[in-house]
């Protein structure tokens, strides 16, 4: 739906009309000034990735940027709310003649993430989340000054999205109090306003009398987990073993799996694997060789896309699971299994990423997974569940209309989607409640708007992985990706300004807010 560009502002002690018809052009001018410096910071973060809770360089860089290099723009709070690598930026503008208190001034919030992934850097593109969030907040800030509009803006720098969900701890500490609407945007391979799934990671620990016993037990559990497909409760529920056994690195889906077979010839193992590797294994391949690590050993190295794509497609790990299944069900006496390069360990871990479209279904799905493997595992532990994130339709409609217009690149491929492609700890901030029967969104603790935007350039040879694939780290460093973030930031800033200046739009956007 189109929105008018003339908004009436009810100021305490006076009234004024704000003509926002030139807002898109003004935001372009402001962006030309503020975006280059922030882009340089984002490029620095991309070149120097820091994993969850280790984002000290990122924190210190941004705090220094607004404390020493550009003082006075924001009230800066480093190490905010008990999180060593979180920070807050606050700004308020009172127009001439304004006689009310700060509480009379409307407020919007922006969020930004900046943690990377173990071993593969910014393969989830968080260097762009901090970029588009800071750019949007700074652009909205300057609009308030240039047009002399009342408004408050808060920016929260939120670390540790990937591992333990710092937004949950920040919410519990009060970081999002006093601001009803929060916005951010996540880079990926396609454009969409869409929900995000609920997630909980379950780590199962396996112990064997020998290395071969431990590997066999772990792979028996992997077979059981694999066979749960299409049998899980809830909507769009999945249980994907996402890490290589014995190489626990949370939330990074393995692109390379090493798997060994002892007691069969190379020809027999190769025949089994090649017979399994059909066209349903997209971009998966393997090499095979004899090894003297164990007696009569044959070592497989299986490669594939990895990333979130391997949670819903046949991955390198899946090929190893099916190889194990086939060889153990074929009556091959004397066959054992090992992990090449890791043949002495007798304790192994498997992490299963349990996901479901709605938060209320997470525990039932998790229970099914635990029941399936509890006889194999010595211990099963879980992390803090990430709540699902629901779509705020009115903000999605406005944002999509902006992305369709010429000022934002006439991107006709922006639309709503019902697919929940991944999870986010922004669900902690939203804290959505849904009807357990109809799944209708009933209320939220905070309004959170979280569009996902594509940063893959449509040209031959351009890198275009999906999130958590190593190739996506390349995608997140391209000039095209930064161009897309600049556009996204301007659109978020415009939505923010419209919320601050149009009370009816704000009321509509916040109608599901729990009071």
């Amino acid at each position: 739906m189109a929105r008018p560009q003339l908004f009436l502002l009810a100021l305490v002690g006076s009234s004024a009309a704000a003509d926002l018809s030139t807002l898109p052009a003004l935001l372009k001018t402001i962006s030309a000034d503020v975006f280059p410096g922030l882009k340089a910071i984002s490029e620095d973060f991309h070149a120097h990735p820091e994993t969850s809770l280790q984002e000290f360089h990122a924190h210190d860089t941004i705090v220094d940027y607004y404390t020493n290099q550009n003082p006075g723009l924001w009230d800066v709070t480093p190490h905010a709310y008990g999180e060593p690598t979180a920070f807050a930026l606050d700004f308020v503008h009172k127009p001439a003649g304004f006689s009310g208190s700060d509480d009379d001034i409307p407020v919007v919030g922006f969020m930004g993430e900046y943690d990377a992934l173990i071993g593969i850097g910014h393969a989830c593109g968080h260097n762009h989340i901090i970029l588009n969030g800071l750019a949007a907040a700074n652009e909205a800030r300057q609009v308030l000054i240039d047009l002399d509009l009342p408004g408050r803006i808060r920016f929260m720098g939120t670390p540790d999205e990937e591992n333990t969900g710092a937004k949950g701890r920040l919410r519990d500490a009060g970081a999002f109090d006093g601001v009803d609407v929060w916005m951010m945007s996540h880079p990926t391979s396609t454009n969409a306003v869409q929900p995000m799934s609920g997630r909980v990671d379950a780590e199962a620990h396996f112990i064997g009398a020998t290395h071969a016993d431990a590997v066999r037990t772990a792979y028996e559990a992997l077979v059981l987990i694999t066979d749960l497909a299409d049998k899980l409760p809830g909507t769009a529920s999945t249980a994907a073993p996402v890490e290589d056994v014995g190489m626990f690195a949370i939330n990074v889906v393995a692109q390379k799996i090493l798997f060994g077979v002892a007691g069969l010839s190379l020809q027999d193992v190769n025949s089994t694997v090649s017979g399994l590797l059909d066209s349903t294994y997209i971009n998966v391949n393997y090499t095979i060789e004899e090894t003297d690590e164990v007696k009569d050993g044959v070592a497989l190295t299986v490669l594939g896309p990895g990333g979130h794509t391997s949670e819903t497609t046949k991955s390198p790990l899946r090929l190893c699971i099916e190889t194990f299944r086939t060889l153990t069900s074929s009556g091959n006496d004397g066959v054992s299994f090992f992990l090449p390069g890791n043949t002495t360990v007798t304790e192994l871990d498997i992490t299963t990423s349990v996901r479901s479209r709605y938060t209320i279904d997470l525990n039932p799905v998790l229970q099914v997974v635990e029941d399936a493997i509890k006889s194999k595992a010595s211990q099963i532990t879980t992390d803090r569940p990430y709540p699902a994130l629901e779509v705020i339709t009115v903000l999605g409609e406005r944002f999509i209309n902006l992305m369709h217009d010429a000022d934002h690149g006439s991107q006709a491929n922006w639309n709503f989607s019902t697919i929940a492609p991944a999870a986010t700890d922004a669900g902690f901030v939203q804290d959505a409640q849904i009807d357990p029967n109809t799944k209708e969104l009933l209320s939220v603790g905070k309004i959170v708007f979280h569009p996902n935007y594509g940063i893959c350039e449509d040209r031959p040879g351009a890198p275009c992985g999906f999130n958590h694939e190593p190739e996506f780290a390349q995608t997140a460093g391209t000039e095209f990706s930064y161009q897309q973030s600049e556009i996204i930031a301007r659109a978020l800033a415009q939505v923010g300004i419209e919320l601050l200046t149009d009370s009816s739009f704000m009321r509509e956007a916040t109608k599901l807010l729990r009071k």
Side-chain angles (χ1 to χ4, degrees), residues 204-227:
H205 189 65
F206 302 91
I207 300 174
T210 65
H211 173 72
D213 288 340
V215 174
R216 180 179 286 269
T217 302
Y219 265 85
E220 287 172 345
L222 286 169
V223 169
L224 293 171
I225 294 168
T226 300
D227 289 346

Side-chain angles (χ1 to χ4, degrees), residues 454-476:
I455 59 171
C456 294
E457 187 173 6
D458 186 15
R459 65 171 178 81
C464 185
F466 190 62
N467 300 76
H468 290 216
E469 293 178 27
E471 188 178 17
F472 197 76
Q474 300 176 42
T475 308

Side-chain angles (χ1 to χ4, degrees), residues 269-313:
V269 177
N270 188 53
S271 176
T272 299
V273 179
S274 62
L276 292 168
L277 185 60
D278 58 21
S279 59
T280 61
Y281 287 89
I282 308 300
N283 296 324
V284 174
N285 60 81
Y286 72 95
T287 58
I288 186 169
E289 62 182 352
E290 294 179 339
T291 177
D292 59 4
E293 287 188 272
V294 300
K295 183 181 179 181
D296 299 325
V298 176
L300 287 166
T301 301
V302 189
L303 302 175
H308 285 317
T309 54
S310 69
E311 297 171 11
T312 53
T313 61

Side-chain angles (χ1 to χ4, degrees), residues 181-468:
V181 179
W182 291 89
M183 293 185 287
M184 61 178 290
S185 191
H186 201 304
T188 183
S189 56
T190 56
N191 297 323
V193 174
Q194 59 195 146
M196 302 291 275
S197 63
R199 183 202 92 189
V200 59
D201 285 338
E203 183 183 356
H205 189 65
F206 302 91
I207 300 174
T210 65
H211 173 72
D213 288 340
V215 174
R216 180 179 286 269
T217 302
Y219 265 85
E220 287 172 345
L222 286 169
V223 169
L224 293 171
I225 294 168
T226 300
D227 289 346
L228 293 176
D230 302 322
K231 300 175 185 176
L232 297 169
T235 302
S237 300
T238 59
V242 295
E243 278 91 36
D244 189 1
V245 290
M247 299 176 66
F248 178 67
I250 191 167
N251 213 14
V252 178
V253 182
Q255 186 186 31
K256 177 181 178 181
I257 301 293
L258 304 179
F259 181 65
V261 181
L264 290 176
S265 69
L266 184 147
Q267 290 76 18
D268 287 340
V269 177
N270 188 53
S271 176
T272 299
V273 179
S274 62
L276 292 168
L277 185 60
D278 58 21
S279 59
T280 61
Y281 287 89
I282 308 300
N283 296 324
V284 174
N285 60 81
Y286 72 95
T287 58
I288 186 169
E289 62 182 352
E290 294 179 339
T291 177
D292 59 4
E293 287 188 272
V294 300
K295 183 181 179 181
D296 299 325
V298 176
L300 287 166
T301 301
V302 189
L303 302 175
H308 285 317
T309 54
S310 69
E311 297 171 11
T312 53
T313 61
K314 289 186 174 181
S315 65
L317 182 56
R318 177 66 180 274
L319 182 59
C320 294
I321 294 169
E322 297 306 328
T323 298
F324 172 86
R325 185 203 301 267
T326 301
L327 293 177
T328 54
S329 62
S330 301
N332 294 303
D333 294 335
V335 175
S336 62
F337 305 91
F338 65 96
L339 301 181
N342 200 15
T343 59
T344 60
V345 297
T346 58
E347 298 188 18
L348 300 171
D349 295 323
I350 293 173
T351 298
T352 300
S353 180
V354 176
R355 298 176 188 247
S356 195
R357 168 61 188 84
Y358 299 102
T359 307
I360 59 174
D361 293 326
L362 271 182
N363 282 338
V365 177
L366 177 62
Q367 190 62 56
V368 170
V369 174
E370 291 180 336
D371 287 347
I373 65 172
K374 63 184 179 182
S375 65
K376 304 291 181 182
S378 64
Q379 179 179 319
I380 302 173
T381 59
T382 59
D383 64 359
R384 185 179 185 180
Y386 282 33
L389 184 77
E390 304 300 329
V391 169
I392 305 300
T393 303
V394 63
L395 295 181
E397 289 174 343
R398 180 59 185 138
F399 188 83
I400 288 170
N401 284 336
L402 287 174
M403 300 312 293
H404 287 176
D405 71 29
D407 288 311
H408 301 90
S410 301
Q411 301 183 54
N413 60 354
W414 269 93
N415 215 324
F416 287 100
S417 171
T418 59
I419 297 172
T424 171
D425 69 346
F428 287 113
V429 184
Q430 187 184 68
D431 191 22
Q433 292 184 358
I434 65 168
D435 185 292
N437 297 313
T438 66
K439 303 300 190 291
E440 176 188 1
L441 179 59
L442 301 177
S443 68
V444 295
K446 297 292 180 183
I447 302 300
V448 176
F449 182 54
H450 181 288
N452 296 322
Y453 66 104
I455 59 171
C456 294
E457 187 173 6
D458 186 15
R459 65 171 178 81
C464 185
F466 190 62
N467 300 76
H468 290 216

Side-chain angles (χ1 to χ4, degrees), residues 50-56 83-85 115 159-160 164 166 169:
E50 298 170 298
T51 55
S52 293
L53 300 177
Q54 301 301 312
E55 314 95 330
F56 297 103
E83 293 288 331
T85 55
D115 57 328
D160 185 29
T164 60
R169 298 190 298 277

